[in-house]
């Protein structure tokens, strides 16, 4: 009888978890609200239902020996109910801790990771955050006063973020001077936090998997964002390595992240995003699921973040990942989909009728394979493409950032 894995969320992360699970001969069931969710194409069974639909979630859990999640905003009370009845092996704590930026940063600080300076807004006179219902009732003028006072204390520039449901720069406003307050204060109808803007050298992510005893981590990626969305992950990360090995800053960073994970008692997978400045680093956010910046591990490492999550879920020993060669991962958003399809079309030159090298139309939105030597294209099979929507990624191995810029970047927007 096969081991049965259930995945809450059928996006690209669910798809790649399912692909790894199948390599380990597991049976995969996926739940997602969208009937055309990318992971459904890979799954053995699917449940179409909302993330707050208890009956649908229970159907998924009943069909699974062990359950994981790739979607972070399943309501807390539903998760608590499920955790009591089913084998959600990572537990719901890391998910709960990451769902609110204030709780997340308080928790990071309590367990030894330093975030940028932050404060809740709107807050009362003693600095305690106002309840959501009170925030909703504030007038435009009151919101501006709250934010103006907080920004005055924080100093410019600073960043305002909604505490919940923000991602990829959504629900955020950069405040460089007093005249930015009015526009930014529109966010304050819900609870927010205000952070100092860190003048970092670069961003990095540490991805770890723990079986409760040992913690492995993947080679740390240097992440380059465009318009608040991850564009490139580069490994090894310049600034974090020396002679092909982790330098002192990197070692300090990975051991602080592991200590954090251990001290929180988290198991399974955890990705931590950091801002790096000189030999210091600041906690930005965490995600208890595979991470966009870890896509590179599929072809760039001896084992991937998806495979190690599945090893954990199935109770198999964890493998320590090694980097095979320098790697660059390019995120493919809607605006780059045709360029990525063209890369596939070119590689299929001469593959038969219907494939035109000069046209991306002959390649469909789902593809996973090597399109030219060392060029690994993943198109997730999403039916609707939009600018800024994550449609796929391309991993180049071996590849350096300089070579990527000179040979490849011009092909993408
Ligand atoms: P987040 O959704 O919090 O990861 O923010 C998206 C991106 O905005 C980050 O990857 C950074 O590039 C930038 N950002 C967010 N917070 C800060 C900060 N406190 N200082 C500087 N840049 C930030």
């Amino acid at each position: 009888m096969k081991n049965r894995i259930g995945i809450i969320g059928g996006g690209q992360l669910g798809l790649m978890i399912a692909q790894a699970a199948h390599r380990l001969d597991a049976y995969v069931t996926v739940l997602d609200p969208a009937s055309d969710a990318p992971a459904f194409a890979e799954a053995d069974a699917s449940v179409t239902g909302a993330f707050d639909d208890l009956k649908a979630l229970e159907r998924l859990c009943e069909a699974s020996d062990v359950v994981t999640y790739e979607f972070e905003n399943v309501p807390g009370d539903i998760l608590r109910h499920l955790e009591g009845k089913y084998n959600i092996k990572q537990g719901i704590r890391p998910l709960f801790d990451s769902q609110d930026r204030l709780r997340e940063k308080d928790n990071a600080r309590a367990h030894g990771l330093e975030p940028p300076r932050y404060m809740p807004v709107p807050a009362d006179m003693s600095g305690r955050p106002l309840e959501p219902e009170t925030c909703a009732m504030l007038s435009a003028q009151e919101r501006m006063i709250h934010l103006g006072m907080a920004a005055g204390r924080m100093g410019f520039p600073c960043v305002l973020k909604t505490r919940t449901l923000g991602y990829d720069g959504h629900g955020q406003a950069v405040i460089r001077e007093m005249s930015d307050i009015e526009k930014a204060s529109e966010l304050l109808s819900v609870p927010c936090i205000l952070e100092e803007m860190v003048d970092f050298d670069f961003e990095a992510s540490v991805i770890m998997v723990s079986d409760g005893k040992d913690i492995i981590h993947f080679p740390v990626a240097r992440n380059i964002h465009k318009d608040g969305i991850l564009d490139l992950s580069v490994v090894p990360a310049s600034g974090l390595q020396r002679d092909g090995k982790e330098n002192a800053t990197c070692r300090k960073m990975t051991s602080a992240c592991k200590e954090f994970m251990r001290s929180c008692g988290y198991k399974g997978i955890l990705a931590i995003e950091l801002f790096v400045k000189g030999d210091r680093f600041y906690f930005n956010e965490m995600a208890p699921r595979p991470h966009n910046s870890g896509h590179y591990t599929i072809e760039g490492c001896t084992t991937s973040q998806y495979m190690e999550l599945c090893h954990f879920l199935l109770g198999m020993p964890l493998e320590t990942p090694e980097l095979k060669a320098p790697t660059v991962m390019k995120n493919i958003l809607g605006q780059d989909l045709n360029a990525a399809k063209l890369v596939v079309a070119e590689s299929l030159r001469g593959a038969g009728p219907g494939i035109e090298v000069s046209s991306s139309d002959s390649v469909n939105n789902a593809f996973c394979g090597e399109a030219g030597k060392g060029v690994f294209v993943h198109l997730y099979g999403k039916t609707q493409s939009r600018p800024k929507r994550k449609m796929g990624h391309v991993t180049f191995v071996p590849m350096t950032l300089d070579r990527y810029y000179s040979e490849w970047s011009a092909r993408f927007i």
Side-chain angles (χ1 to χ4, degrees):
M1 175 113 163
K2 289 188 180 208
N3 288 303
R4 299 173 307 159
I5 295 180
I7 308 172
I8 301 174
Q12 60 271 15
L13 301 174
L15 167 68
M16 288 178 270
I17 297 169
Q19 288 166 343
H22 278 158
R23 289 181 54 198
L24 296 171
D25 203 29
Y27 181 92
V28 180
T29 307
V30 173
L31 175 141
D32 198 273
S35 56
D36 59 351
F40 284 178
E42 178 75 24
D44 302 293
S46 59
V47 178
T48 307
F51 294 120
D52 59 359
D53 177 344
L54 184 57
K55 281 212 170 72
L57 285 159
E58 291 207 303
R59 278 219 310 284
L60 174 86
C61 294
E62 297 284 355
S64 313
D65 303 312
V66 59
V67 176
T68 189
Y69 36 71
E70 61 114 56
F71 178 79
E72 280 166 275
N73 289 309
V74 185
D77 47 344
I78 291 196
L79 284 171
R80 264 189 294 278
H81 172 80
L82 295 176
E83 192 185 32
K85 282 175 77 177
Y86 303 102
N87 183 18
I88 303 180
K89 204 172 172 186
Q90 286 204 195
I92 62 163
R93 254 284 309 290
L95 202 59
F96 178 76
D97 291 342
S98 67
Q99 280 176 343
D100 175 331
R101 289 184 191 274
L102 182 61
R103 190 160 62 221
E104 184 183 39
K105 289 197 163 69
D106 286 347
N107 182 59
R109 208 165 51 174
H111 294 278
L113 288 176
E114 184 187 352
R117 283 191 302 119
Y118 64 98
M119 58 174 77
V121 261
D124 65 16
M125 297 301 276
S126 56
R128 269 194 303 269
L130 298 189
E131 293 302 322
E133 306 75 50
T134 320
C135 296
M137 280 169 12
L138 294 175
S139 67
Q141 176 111 31
E142 286 168 325
R143 291 199 298 252
M144 278 173 62
I145 293 171
H146 273 282
L147 188 56
M149 277 169 32
R153 266 184 288 142
M154 180 62 72
F156 298 106
C158 51
V159 195
L160 183 69
K161 302 178 179 180
T162 57
R163 277 171 50 183
T164 59
L165 304 177
Y167 65 97
D168 287 344
H170 291 272
Q172 290 190 19
V174 175
I175 304 169
R176 298 195 182 279
E177 51 192 15
M178 266 304 173
S179 62
D180 294 330
I181 295 280
E182 183 172 357
K183 180 89 191 65
S185 66
E186 288 169 14
L187 289 178
L188 287 197
S189 56
V190 293
C192 289
I193 63 168
L194 187 67
E195 290 176 22
E196 73 174 303
M197 183 99 173
V198 179
D199 182 22
F200 53 74
D201 300 332
F202 60 92
E203 298 183 56
S205 48
V206 176
I207 301 174
M208 300 166 285
V209 180
S210 167
D211 59 9
K213 282 204 319 280
D214 299 317
I215 306 180
I216 55 145
H217 75 275
F218 288 85
V220 180
R222 178 172 181 147
N223 299 325
I224 300 172
H225 289 74
K226 216 154 84 182
D227 302 327
I229 306 178
L230 183 69
D231 182 38
L232 301 173
S233 289
V234 186
V235 200
S238 56
L240 293 178
Q241 59 117 21
R242 204 172 156 181
D243 303 330
K245 293 207 169 68
E246 294 185 345
N247 69 10
T249 305
C250 193
R251 286 198 302 276
K252 211 163 77 180
M253 205 157 92
T254 53
S255 67
C257 288
K258 284 181 173 176
E259 197 38 52
F260 168 80
M261 191 171 188
R262 209 170 279 123
S263 156
C264 292
Y266 297 156
K267 283 187 298 186
I269 189 160
L270 185 72
I272 297 184
E273 294 179 20
L274 301 146
F275 301 138
V276 184
K277 181 150 184 70
D279 62 357
R280 299 190 65 173
F281 47 89
Y282 300 88
F283 172 96
N284 178 34
E285 60 183 7
M286 67 175 198
R289 52 157 174 78
H291 196 254
N292 194 163
S293 67
H295 293 343
Y296 91 87
T297 60
I298 298 175
E299 293 90 6
C301 289
T302 49
T303 181
S304 74
Q305 61 169 350
Y306 303 100
M307 188 56 82
E308 290 317 301
L309 169 60
C310 290
H311 281 161
F312 162 74
L313 293 172
L314 298 175
M316 298 166 75
L318 301 182
E319 276 175 41
T320 302
E322 301 285 345
L323 189 67
K324 288 185 187 165
T327 300
V328 174
M329 188 282 303
K330 160 76 182 159
N331 235 358
I332 300 298
L333 305 183
Q335 60 269 33
D336 281 324
L337 180 62
N338 280 337
K341 285 161 78 169
L342 212 49
V343 173
V344 177
E346 286 169 8
S347 77
L348 297 175
R349 191 190 302 261
I355 301 288
E356 272 183 54
V357 173
S358 57
S359 159
S360 58
D361 300 341
S362 51
V363 177
N364 69 49
N365 283 2
F367 180 87
C368 178
E370 192 168 8
K373 194 154 173 37
V375 180
F376 299 91
V377 180
H378 296 247
L379 302 179
Y380 307 141
K382 295 183 184 177
T383 45
Q384 302 276 323
S385 173
R386 292 190 297 278
K388 296 194 172 182
R389 185 168 195 212
K390 292 173 182 144
M391 300 300 292
H393 71 268
V394 183
T395 303
F396 301 88
V397 198
M399 182 61 68
T400 60
L401 186 59
D402 284 347
R403 189 151 80 80
Y404 170 80
Y405 281 138
S406 67
E407 292 178 12
W408 283 94
S409 70
R411 297 186 63 141
F412 302 108
I413 288 165

